[in-house]
């Protein structure tokens, strides 16, 4: 039952039971042997806290500013495709929950609902950003961007880690027939025999490059954020290109296998930005593997501006609809307040690198394949 869900992993366990097999395969799959997907979460366990005692922590303020907008909490609903695979109403369920908790929502290009349905579901001064897959036909992209800006979106997140689709074998094995309806920009000339991801992604332009950034800047006044940056060199290049932010992300472990976790890349990026005095020139977001508020707090200590959460909210929605996402967000908020108290930090601004020990994270990689892979990749023959 809903009340028996005490953390984000509990929703995942319920979703796995109740979702259609093909839908579960699409949401849960990662690339190849799913090593990066697992590492995304595991990397947080390599960071330990160095809390401060005897700080007056009666009042905790979790508010922050992201891309110039005041937000009540530093996590956001990141873009995930095909919301109707999990719930008949799709992404608007996430919009409603985000409103209830004053959480920012990133609208996915590959949503099951239309953009306007998601934009219409927005209430009051709720903040939404747009995630963009860049179409081979730039006029389509231009129209999407202009429309989103006109309808009040406050940030443009251009996905840059997917010039080609990663191999999600779990998804490929499931013979996909229902793309969750209404997928935008995908066209209908699609091959549905190799999983959901392949079916919806053929319009995406693999020729997208740094040369396109000035064009994006010329067509919108929204802050521009590159989503899927994976090393400090590209963060520096994004600053030089005039981008407002980057998301350190490997696409939930669904694209390049053995790409590093976002949190590890964050630990590489922040010292270099600080050394150059560039940390105010660009906002650094991170996603991937976040399941606990302690994960969020660790990223904030390292210097992240905001933390994206994708699958957990999809699972909560798939398991219990709006009530599920509502509870998932509340649980995270409660965890966050409690853990900030236990660390001895009363505001997001007080979270800093001295509150964490990152030696375990920075010790390099063993190259050992996690034992649960058993050489079978993502395939579970017992399922
Ligand atoms: C080459 C395009 O984000 C997913 C979605 C869609 C991926 C498109 C990749 O399944 O991760």
């Amino acid at each position: 039952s809903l009340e028996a869900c005490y953390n984000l992993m509990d929703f995942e366990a319920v979703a796995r039971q109740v979702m259609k097999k093909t839908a579960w395969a699409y949401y849960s799959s990662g690339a190849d042997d799913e090593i990066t997907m697992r590492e995304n979460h595991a990397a947080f366990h390599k960071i330990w806290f160095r809390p401060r005692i005897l700080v007056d922590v009666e009042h905790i303020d979790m508010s922050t500013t992201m891309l110039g907008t005041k937000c009540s909490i530093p996590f956001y609903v990141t873009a995930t495709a095909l919301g109707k695979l999990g719930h008949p109403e799709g992404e608007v369920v996430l919009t409603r929950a985000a409103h209830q908790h004053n959480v920012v929502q990133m609208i996915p290009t590959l949503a099951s609902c239309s953009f306007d349905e998601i934009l219409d579901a927005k209430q009051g001064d709720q903040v939404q950003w747009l995630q963009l897959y860049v179409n081979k036909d730039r006029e389509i992209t231009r129209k999407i961007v202009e429309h989103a800006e006109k309808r009040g979106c406050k940030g443009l997140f251009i996905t840059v880690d997917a010039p080609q689709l990663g191999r999600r074998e779990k998804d490929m094995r499931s013979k996909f027939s229902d793309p969750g309806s209404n997928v935008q920009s995908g066209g209908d000339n699609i091959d549905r025999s190799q999983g959901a991801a392949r079916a919806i992604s053929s319009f995406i332009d693999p020729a997208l490059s740094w040369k396109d950034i000035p064009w994006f800047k010329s067509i919108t006044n929204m802050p521009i954020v590159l989503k899927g940056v994976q090393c400090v060199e590209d963060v520096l290049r994004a600053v030089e290109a005039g981008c407002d932010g980057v998301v350190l992300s490997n696409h939930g472990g669904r694209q390049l296998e053995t790409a590093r976790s976002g949190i590890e890349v964050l630990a590489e990026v922040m010292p270099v930005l600080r050394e150059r005095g560039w940390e105010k020139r660009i906002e650094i977001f991170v996603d991937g593997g976040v399941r606990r508020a302690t994960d969020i707090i660790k990223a904030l200590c390292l210097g992240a501006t905001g933390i994206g959460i994708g699958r957990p909210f999809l699972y909560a929605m798939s398991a219990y609809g709006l009530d599920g996402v509502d509870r998932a967000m509340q649980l995270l908020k409660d965890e966050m307040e409690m853990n900030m108290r236990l660390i001895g930090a009363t505001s997001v601004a007080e979270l800093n690198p001295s509150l964490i020990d990152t030696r375990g994270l920075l010790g390099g990689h063993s190259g050992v394949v996690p034992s649960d892979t058993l050489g079978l990749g993502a395939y579970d023959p017992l399922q």
Side-chain angles (χ1 to χ4, degrees), residues 122-319:
K122 178 172 80 165
Q123 295 175 60
D125 55 5
Q126 184 173 3
V127 178
Q128 290 176 320
W129 298 327
L130 176 71
Q131 175 269 335
L132 188 70
Y133 278 120
V134 179
N135 201 300
K136 289 173 190 157
D137 180 342
R138 291 292 196 278
E139 273 316 295
I140 294 180
T141 290
R142 175 205 290 274
K143 282 194 187 122
I144 291 173
V145 171
E146 287 177 350
H147 188 64
E149 182 166 5
K150 207 161 85 208
R151 299 275 335 250
C153 279
K154 297 277 184 271
L156 178 65
F157 286 66
I158 305 170
T159 294
V160 294
D161 58 13
Q164 180 176 343
L165 187 68
R167 277 178 71 87
R168 300 92 182 259
E169 295 171 10
K170 209 191 290 168
D171 183 41
M172 290 164 77
R173 281 191 181 93
S174 82
K175 296 288 172 250
F176 178 73
S177 57
D178 165 19
S181 81
N182 220 359
V183 172
Q184 339 188 27
S185 341
D188 220 13
N189 188 16
I190 52 181
D191 173 9
R192 299 196 168 155
S193 64
Q194 285 201 65
R198 197 159 301 268
I200 59 177
S201 62
S202 56
F203 71 95
I204 296 168
D205 190 358
L208 180 70
S209 79
W210 287 104
K211 289 195 201 119
D212 292 291
I213 304 298
W215 180 74
F216 285 108
K217 288 173 70 80
S218 78
I219 64 165
T220 185
N221 289 316
M222 287 186 281
I224 292 178
V225 182
L226 304 183
K227 179 173 178 291
V229 173
Q230 299 183 45
C231 65
V232 67
E233 290 89 334
D234 280 344
V235 174
L236 300 179
R237 196 151 178 194
V239 175
E240 282 162 351
C243 296
D244 302 280
V246 292
V247 186
L248 306 177
S249 168
N250 53 41
H251 210 116
R254 293 159 77 80
Q255 286 295 108
L256 176 65
E257 175 65 311
T258 61
R260 297 176 300 164
S261 66
I263 190 78
E264 180 176 341
V265 179
L266 180 65
E268 170 181 283
V269 165
M270 293 314 300
V272 178
L273 287 181
R274 290 196 185 102
E275 202 179 283
R276 293 188 174 214
W278 284 15
E279 70 272 28
K280 297 265 179 303
R281 285 182 64 180
I282 190 152
E283 295 190 15
I284 310 290
F285 300 86
V286 63
D287 70 29
V290 176
R291 296 292 180 274
R292 290 282 188 185
T294 45
D295 303 338
I296 296 171
I297 294 170
K298 287 169 184 175
L300 294 169
C301 285
L302 277 169
T305 300
I307 288 83
I309 301 180
R311 286 190 186 92
F313 293 143
L314 280 183
Y315 293 143
M317 175 180 84
S318 307

Side-chain angles (χ1 to χ4, degrees), residues 6-200:
Y6 286 104
N7 59 52
L8 298 192
M9 282 79 76
D10 289 344
F11 292 102
E12 181 167 345
V14 179
R16 186 178 186 153
Q17 299 294 325
V18 301
M19 286 179 76
K20 269 172 67 179
K21 227 178 152 206
T22 47
W24 169 259
Y26 177 65
Y27 282 1
S28 66
S29 57
D32 297 9
D33 300 310
E34 302 189 334
I35 295 170
T36 287
M37 189 173 79
R38 278 191 293 274
E39 175 65 10
N40 278 350
H41 182 55
F44 285 104
H45 304 152
K46 299 175 187 165
I47 303 177
W48 295 77
F49 284 115
R50 305 179 69 249
R52 297 301 189 274
I53 54 163
L54 295 177
V55 178
D56 173 357
V57 288
E58 194 184 345
H59 301 288
I60 301 290
D61 177 8
M62 296 186 281
S63 69
T64 193
T65 301
M66 296 193 273
L67 299 178
T69 312
K70 195 105 178 87
C71 305
S72 68
I73 195 95
F75 66 79
Y76 58 91
V77 182
T78 195
T80 47
L82 300 182
K84 285 190 184 173
L85 291 181
H87 189 279
E89 288 185 82
E91 293 78 12
V92 296
V93 175
L94 301 174
T95 313
R96 290 181 198 127
H99 172 256
Q100 278 168 213
H101 289 275
N102 220 335
V103 166
V104 178
Q105 178 190 26
M106 193 190 294
I107 301 176
T109 296
L110 292 171
S112 303
C113 297
S114 71
F115 288 134
D116 278 322
E117 281 172 305
I118 304 172
L119 292 158
D120 289 344
K122 178 172 80 165
Q123 295 175 60
D125 55 5
Q126 184 173 3
V127 178
Q128 290 176 320
W129 298 327
L130 176 71
Q131 175 269 335
L132 188 70
Y133 278 120
V134 179
N135 201 300
K136 289 173 190 157
D137 180 342
R138 291 292 196 278
E139 273 316 295
I140 294 180
T141 290
R142 175 205 290 274
K143 282 194 187 122
I144 291 173
V145 171
E146 287 177 350
H147 188 64
E149 182 166 5
K150 207 161 85 208
R151 299 275 335 250
C153 279
K154 297 277 184 271
L156 178 65
F157 286 66
I158 305 170
T159 294
V160 294
D161 58 13
Q164 180 176 343
L165 187 68
R167 277 178 71 87
R168 300 92 182 259
E169 295 171 10
K170 209 191 290 168
D171 183 41
M172 290 164 77
R173 281 191 181 93
S174 82
K175 296 288 172 250
F176 178 73
S177 57
D178 165 19
S181 81
N182 220 359
V183 172
Q184 339 188 27
S185 341
D188 220 13
N189 188 16
I190 52 181
D191 173 9
R192 299 196 168 155
S193 64
Q194 285 201 65
R198 197 159 301 268
I200 59 177

